[in-house]
Amino acid sequence: MKINKLSIAVLFLSGSVFYAQETKRDTLAKEKKIEGVVIQGSSNKKTETAVLGEQKKAIIQKQAVSAEEISRKGISNVEQGLTKVTGITTVEGRGLFVRGLEERYNYLLINGLGSPSNNPFQKIIALKQFPTDVVGKLNIYKTFNSNLYGDFAGATFDIETLTIDKPFTKVEFSVGVNTLSTFRDNFKVAEGADGMNGYIGLNSRDRKLPNEIRNARPSTYNFSKDQSLNSFKDSWNVNNVKSLPNTSIGFTTVQKVKAGETGTLGVLFSLNQGSKFTYKEGANNQYRSQGETDIIFNNNLNRKQYVYETESSILLGLGYKNKGTNINLNAIYLQNSANIIEDNFGYKDQKIQNKDDGFFRTNQLDISRFLDLQLTASQKINDRNQVKGGISYVINNYSQPDRKIFDGNQINLKTLQKLPDGQLYLRYGSNNLIRQYLDVDSRFYGSAFAEYSLSLGEKGDKKEYPLQIAFGYNGFTDFRKNSYRYVFGYPNDITNTDVIIDIDKPDAMFNQSIANGQVHYREGSDVSQYYSSIYQIINGGYVNINYKPNETWDILLGARYEKDMTLIRYYDTPSASEKTNLDKTRDLFLPSLSVKKSLNSKNNLRFSFSKTVTRPILIETMPIEYISPDNVSIIGNQFIKSSDNYNVDLKWEYFPTNKEMFAINAFAKRINNPIERSLAPSANATGTTITFYNAEKAELFGVELEGILSLSRISESLRNFTFGANATFMYSNVERSEQQYKTEKPYWITDRSNLHKRGLQGASPYTINADLKYEHKNKKNLSQIVSLVYNVSGSKIYATGGNGTDNYYEKPFHQLDLVYQNQLTKNWNVKFAVQNILNNKYRVLIGDKNYAPLNTNGNNVLTDYYRGVNFNLTVGYTF
């Protein structure tokens, strides 16, 4: 019997069933009986081997992180998982960077459907909120294809939720400690945040904007004595607690039943809840140019930050399969609440006289709620025709309700005597007592896609049609209203404004001052910035032509038309009676080409070209001035333009075995109107402004290197070891726009050519990820896995400077993690992880190419802090 008559060849590797390279694509659909024996295969798409095989076959450059890899690397959320991919790093509080590009250059899909951000300060969902227990696979597209949204330059991420393959039920409990944060005495938590209401995020109800001004346009409303005492439900007080270990609990169950003779109906339910305490301490400085003479501190502060964070997620999935029919219904709910107490010690606004006694506190709650309802379906009509589609509806809200700020001195300014610990001298007025309210509410978000694919020609030896054509549509509608308002303590008598308060229990004194007629609350919101609406409708139609002239060539030609209808409505002046309508409608034609040449069974050569766009993050285009107590304002630029991107990639891949690969990818990008963050002196002569400008253009060139190697090649004694590494090296250059020249150029420099050349803001010159895995299986085929994982990215521009200062650079952060996983029995498994072993300090520094001398006694730190080492133990039981 000749082997070429078999339609399936099966390899058993690592306990999984995997197809050899001779396997034909339609094997499962057409099982063959040979001498009375039926040979069947079943591939597990969650294994690292299967994902590698999928990457090898794909026409576009697609990478993935499997559920198996997620588990063995101790990955607890999607954000951590994506950092294990070539060229991807995470940056503190600002999401994921791909090939050194800011998060604004990425886009997120969930099961192929568009997804809005649940945070106006980020382009996509904070993926750390997405637990990996519900993830089947993370797909990363780093080259564009026309069936993806045109908002693409770094990558498009597609989260595939857990597939309903086989029944199981799993319970998992995790406990973790941090060397810096856990068991800390006097950990500060807002009153009411550490109880059950805080744990499930209900403490936001008492922090809503008072009814007196909620639905009215700002008019410097003065709250009466009674209203000042009773209309604000939340307290200024904080509790001092001992911070407990971080904990999380998860429950996931998958069940399947027969539906008719050939169909199956599956049910997936997953519930996850966790809480975490985080403490950070370090510099919080600002720099200010005094002209060409010197650059000094505008702020010189030491910051202590206490964060109590809770995360909740629920996933309910229903799946129906019957021959060529697949229907899936998913409901995904994510909630995150972060109760933040931030104390700053030192001086701001150049008031160096306060360097030993200045103090201000921020009491803040960030809360986001995200509900995504999805229906997707596919139908294989016959061997040549297939249709698929999906629709989603998202309810999405983010708020910072009642962000409370007070500012004072630790000495009595009347007597100049040092106050006892825990007391503060405060004067009503001068923005020393503020309550802020930021709300970003989704009025409507809906996403949909539909595609019809047709196969033409006759199948060749690989049982594939030589020509496949797909016609499709995808798009979304996103309507949001944004509100930013603030109320401050207004003195009734300017000769009687001084009080001494208990820093942690100031409520009693504030209420007494109100009752005595010393102060009342008054709204001070900017009438031109308190409210705006953003409407965005994206409709995209596309066609893909996949032509395979022979077994070695694969050519994918795509064309996409995208109608971008964006409208911003806002009041452009305080006296405006009607809103201004800013229309940014664009018609976009986005071509793409991907070519794969299989040199032989182990080598691929790939080329791709595309044109794409990049749309700004919400905060970058919101017409508001978001004010922080350290006088750092974030000013949105409603006139910011979307970027146009031209992308070219050339890649060689080598797969020596089905568990190993090596790849080299050269890439280049030309970005017209790239969006950049700028950190410059504010217009009111105090503090600093973070704002956003379009540069004229940017050019990027880079190379990516990736490899997965079994160490058995070195010695058979190392057969249980696998080493993986990936690295990206990149050069970027920016041509400034006229706005940027005005901001960055010192007034004493007349020739623009004297400005320093620089790279693209956020672009890192290198990114390195590596991991060493040891895997051992006992006689019962139960595995023990130890992984050592390392990553770092090079120094990148955090924000461009202004008026004589150099740029601000985010310095390399070296992270080393150790993960041990043991499948103790068929049911019990245990995982132990040590994260951030090196405990490197996170730092943002002002550069050393300032246009005037830096006169700060050698201190060039904008911000810095340690994160501490995390020890985490997870125990799971599957039945």
Side-chain angles (χ1 to χ4, degrees):
M1 179 170 53
K2 294 184 178 180
I3 191 69
N4 59 11
K5 291 184 179 179
L6 292 176
S7 64
I8 293 180
V10 183
L11 289 179
F12 293 91
L13 295 174
S14 302
S16 301
V17 183
F18 196 75
Y19 299 103
Q21 294 175 359
E22 292 81 9
T23 301
K24 302 299 185 284
R25 177 172 290 186
D26 64 346
T27 311
L28 289 177
K30 297 182 179 180
E31 299 163 2
K32 299 240 178 168
K33 290 187 178 181
I34 302 172
E35 297 180 356
V37 178
V38 177
I39 300 179
Q40 286 183 291
S42 176
S43 66
N44 184 354
K45 295 181 179 180
K46 301 175 187 178
T47 67
E48 293 179 74
T49 306
V51 167
L52 200 60
E54 184 179 340
Q55 177 180 332
K56 178 182 177 182
K57 292 179 181 179
I59 172 61
I60 60 176
Q61 290 191 32
K62 174 184 174 183
Q63 291 176 270
V65 181
S66 67
E68 181 185 85
E69 184 175 3
I70 287 170
S71 175
R72 77 165 179 84
K73 290 185 178 178
I75 297 167
S76 61
N77 60 67
V78 168
E79 184 175 272
Q80 287 182 2
L82 290 171
T83 61
K84 311 310 175 186
V85 176
T86 307
I88 299 180
T89 57
T90 181
V91 177
E92 291 284 288
R94 300 206 317 284
L96 293 163
F97 283 42
V98 180
R99 291 176 172 175
L101 294 177
E102 283 262 322
E103 193 206 36
R104 73 172 66 86
Y105 293 97
N106 302 328
Y107 193 75
L108 175 67
L109 303 172
I110 302 176
N111 293 317
L113 287 159
S115 173
S117 173
N118 61 349
N119 187 328
F121 299 95
Q122 293 186 251
K123 180 69 171 285
I124 60 179
I125 291 175
L127 293 176
K128 67 183 182 66
Q129 299 178 25
F130 218 113
T132 51
D133 282 349
V134 301
V135 175
K137 188 170 59 174
L138 305 177
N139 296 308
I140 304 98
Y141 300 90
K142 290 199 288 186
T143 59
F144 177 70
N145 185 37
S146 61
N147 64 350
L148 300 173
Y149 283 95
D151 196 345
F152 183 104
T156 291
F157 307 124
D158 187 6
I159 301 173
E160 291 185 20
T161 52
L162 199 63
T163 54
I164 304 173
D165 292 329
K166 61 180 181 179
F168 74 91
T169 299
K170 179 181 179 182
V171 179
E172 198 168 65
F173 177 76
S174 176
V175 60
V177 296
N178 178 278
T179 56
L180 194 61
S181 304
T182 309
F183 301 124
R184 174 174 286 273
D185 291 324
N186 296 319
F187 190 98
K188 300 186 184 300
V189 180
E191 197 170 69
D194 54 338
M196 181 54 67
N197 281 346
Y199 186 68
I200 58 179
L202 295 180
N203 57 324
S204 61
R205 294 179 301 182
D206 292 336
R207 302 181 72 139
K208 292 181 179 179
L209 191 68
N211 291 329
E212 289 86 350
I213 60 176
R214 184 177 301 167
N215 297 312
R217 189 175 181 181
S219 58
T220 62
Y221 182 86
N222 287 286
F223 289 79
S224 67
K225 179 188 296 186
D226 182 67
Q227 291 171 338
S228 295
L229 285 170
N230 299 309
S231 295
F232 301 87
K233 304 299 183 183
D234 195 58
S235 169
W236 289 82
N237 295 344
V238 304
N239 294 329
N240 289 284
V241 302
K242 181 183 283 290
S243 55
L244 299 175
N246 305 324
T247 59
S248 67
I249 187 169
F251 171 81
T252 302
T253 184
V254 173
Q255 302 299 327
K256 290 179 69 174
V257 296
K258 284 190 174 182
E261 293 185 3
T262 58
T264 60
L265 179 66
V267 180
L268 164 64
F269 177 72
S270 181
L271 175 65
N272 294 269
Q273 177 73 41
S275 64
K276 180 170 68 173
F277 292 85
T278 303
Y279 174 79
K280 297 175 182 177
E281 181 177 353
N284 180 25
N285 298 328
Q286 292 177 17
Y287 296 86
R288 190 170 193 87
S289 171
Q290 297 289 94
E292 56 187 310
T293 57
D294 61 359
I295 295 170
I296 63 171
F297 281 123
N298 188 73
N299 287 10
N300 189 3
L301 298 166
N302 182 62
R303 174 171 51 192
K304 296 181 179 181
Q305 186 185 77
Y306 309 82
V307 182
Y308 172 62
E309 188 172 11
T310 67
E311 293 180 346
S312 308
S313 68
I314 303 172
L315 172 63
L316 176 63
L318 300 174
Y320 172 74
K321 291 183 180 182
N322 188 4
K323 296 182 179 179
T325 303
N326 286 281
I327 302 174
N328 293 284
L329 177 64
N330 286 311
I332 304 166
Y333 178 75
L334 304 175
Q335 178 178 291
N336 175 271
S337 68
N339 290 271
I340 304 166
I341 304 297
E342 188 171 284
D343 292 344
N344 282 266
F345 303 81
Y347 72 87
K348 58 181 178 177
D349 300 340
Q350 304 177 49
K351 296 178 181 177
I352 193 169
Q353 67 270 19
N354 293 334
K355 67 183 179 69
D356 296 323
D357 56 74
F359 174 88
F360 61 90
R361 169 174 289 174
T362 304
N363 180 334
Q364 177 176 320
L365 170 66
D366 292 3
I367 187 160
S368 64
R369 296 182 174 95
F370 177 90
L371 175 63
D372 191 352
L373 305 175
Q374 299 184 332
L375 175 64
T376 60
S378 65
Q379 176 65 55
K380 186 175 182 181
I381 301 171
N382 54 42
D383 201 34
R384 292 180 180 269
N385 297 269
Q386 183 172 334
V387 294
K388 63 180 180 179
I391 188 169
S392 71
Y393 172 69
V394 177
I395 300 172
N396 182 31
N397 302 102
Y398 173 90
S399 65
Q400 287 181 354
D402 202 1
R403 184 180 187 232
K404 294 180 284 292
I405 302 160
F406 62 79
D407 187 343
N409 291 80
Q410 293 174 294
I411 63 171
N412 188 324
L413 294 184
K414 287 184 175 180
T415 65
L416 300 182
Q417 297 296 311
K418 182 75 173 178
L419 292 170
D421 289 343
Q423 292 189 10
L424 191 74
Y425 176 91
L426 182 147
R427 284 176 173 166
Y428 295 126
S430 302
N431 291 330
N432 284 355
L433 195 67
I434 302 177
R435 311 179 86 130
Q436 297 178 341
Y437 302 82
L438 173 67
D439 290 285
V440 181
D441 292 325
S442 174
R443 288 181 170 177
F444 175 83
Y445 183 93
S447 175
F449 74 86
E451 182 180 281
Y452 166 70
S453 58
L454 169 67
S455 298
L456 300 174
E458 299 300 327
K459 292 183 178 180
D461 293 339
K462 287 190 173 183
K463 301 299 181 183
E464 294 178 334
Y465 290 105
L467 184 63
Q468 297 174 349
I469 304 174
F471 304 90
Y473 161 86
N474 52 20
F476 67 83
T477 298
D478 189 4
F479 298 163
R480 303 201 196 193
K481 62 176 182 179
N482 315 303
S483 174
Y484 178 61
R485 306 179 74 154
Y486 67 89
V487 175
F488 66 99
Y490 191 82
N492 298 329
D493 180 359
I494 60 173
T495 64
N496 182 23
T497 63
D498 304 1
V499 291
I500 294 177
I501 64 171
D502 183 324
I503 290 177
D504 290 339
K505 304 294 180 183
D507 232 28
M509 179 56 70
F510 293 156
N511 290 338
Q512 181 181 327
S513 297
I514 294 170
N516 292 341
Q518 189 177 359
V519 67
H520 70 277
Y521 286 117
R522 180 178 184 176
E523 182 171 15
S525 308
D526 189 322
V527 180
S528 65
Q529 297 185 355
Y530 86 100
Y531 181 88
S532 63
S533 298
I534 297 179
Y535 304 86
Q536 187 172 46
I537 302 174
I538 305 295
N539 287 307
Y542 63 87
V543 58
N544 276 334
I545 301 175
N546 191 189
Y547 177 53
K548 304 174 183 179
N550 55 47
E551 295 183 1
T552 64
W553 284 96
D554 208 341
I555 302 169
L556 181 63
L557 180 64
R560 180 180 181 87
Y561 167 75
E562 207 164 83
K563 183 79 170 182
D564 180 344
M565 294 176 283
T566 300
L567 177 69
I568 303 175
R569 302 191 68 212
Y570 65 103
Y571 295 102
D572 60 355
T573 64
S575 60
S577 59
E578 295 184 354
K579 296 175 185 175
T580 295
N581 293 328
L582 180 59
D583 189 348
K584 295 186 173 184
T585 298
R586 296 183 70 197
D587 292 285
L588 303 165
F589 175 68
L590 306 173
S592 62
L593 172 66
S594 296
V595 179
K596 186 182 82 170
K597 169 65 175 177
S598 297
L599 303 177
N600 51 46
S601 62
K602 295 183 178 182
N603 290 270
N604 290 332
L605 192 63
R606 300 176 182 272
F607 171 80
S608 66
F609 167 80
S610 64
K611 179 186 177 183
T612 58
V613 298
T614 295
R615 300 182 177 97
I617 300 171
L618 188 61
I619 191 65
E620 296 174 345
T621 194
M622 285 171 62
I624 68 168
E625 182 177 3
Y626 176 84
I627 302 172
S628 291
D630 55 3
N631 288 329
V632 177
S633 299
I634 302 176
I635 299 180
N637 180 1
Q638 62 268 32
F639 301 105
I640 203 84
K641 299 176 183 178
S642 296
S643 306
D644 293 317
N645 317 310
Y646 297 87
N647 316 286
V648 179
D649 286 76
L650 180 62
K651 185 176 185 180
W652 168 71
E653 298 173 326
Y654 173 53
F655 298 85
T657 68
N658 61 1
K659 287 188 174 183
E660 296 178 305
M661 70 89 65
F662 301 95
I664 301 175
N665 182 35
F667 64 90
K669 294 179 183 292
R670 161 74 179 266
I671 304 177
N672 293 335
N673 300 313
I675 302 167
E676 295 190 298
R677 180 190 301 106
S678 176
L679 191 56
S682 63
N684 60 11
T686 60
T688 299
T689 295
I690 296 175
T691 192
F692 310 93
Y693 297 122
N694 289 111
E696 192 70 25
K697 65 178 180 180
E699 295 173 338
L700 299 88
F701 306 93
V703 60
E704 293 179 318
L705 309 173
E706 183 176 12
I708 303 172
L709 174 70
S710 172
L711 297 190
S712 61
R713 291 180 173 273
I714 300 173
S715 171
E716 183 59 26
S717 62
L718 300 176
R719 63 184 179 277
N720 293 333
F721 289 89
T722 302
F723 177 73
N726 58 70
T728 302
F729 302 93
M730 185 176 67
Y731 166 81
S732 66
N733 183 58
V734 164
E735 183 178 316
R736 296 172 174 91
S737 65
E738 186 65 28
Q739 280 183 312
Q740 290 179 313
Y741 275 119
K742 290 179 180 179
T743 300
E744 296 182 42
K745 186 179 77 64
Y747 67 84
W748 61 89
I749 293 182
T750 57
D751 188 355
R752 290 182 176 181
S753 63
N754 290 330
L755 285 183
H756 306 312
K757 289 186 177 182
R758 63 171 177 83
L760 181 67
Q761 182 263 312
S764 175
Y766 65 86
T767 300
I768 299 172
N769 298 319
D771 73 273
L772 179 66
K773 179 183 77 169
Y774 169 82
E775 182 175 9
H776 170 72
K777 292 191 175 183
N778 61 21
K779 294 179 180 180
K780 295 182 180 180
N781 206 33
L782 300 176
S783 62
Q784 295 184 59
I785 302 175
V786 182
S787 296
L788 192 64
V789 185
Y790 169 80
N791 60 70
V792 67
S793 63
S795 179
K796 62 183 76 71
I797 297 176
Y798 168 79
T800 63
N803 195 28
T805 65
D806 193 4
N807 306 308
Y808 298 85
Y809 292 90
E810 198 163 28
K811 306 306 289 183
F813 184 90
H814 301 265
Q815 178 150 339
L816 182 66
D817 302 334
L818 176 67
V819 182
Y820 169 77
Q821 181 176 280
N822 191 348
Q823 189 69 39
L824 300 174
T825 69
K826 181 181 177 180
N827 305 105
W828 287 98
N829 71 284
V830 63
K831 188 188 303 178
F832 178 72
V834 185
Q835 297 174 314
N836 195 30
I837 295 172
L838 302 177
N839 198 20
N840 199 217
K841 178 181 280 190
Y842 174 78
R843 299 177 300 154
V844 178
L845 311 178
I846 191 171
D848 57 6
K849 294 182 179 179
N850 297 286
Y851 298 92
L854 186 63
N855 186 14
T856 56
N857 294 322
N859 189 342
N860 64 340
V861 177
L862 183 76
T863 185
D864 65 0
Y865 52 82
Y866 289 101
R867 296 194 308 182
V869 182
N870 293 305
F871 297 86
N872 194 78
L873 176 65
T874 302
V875 177
Y877 183 82
T878 303
F879 50 93

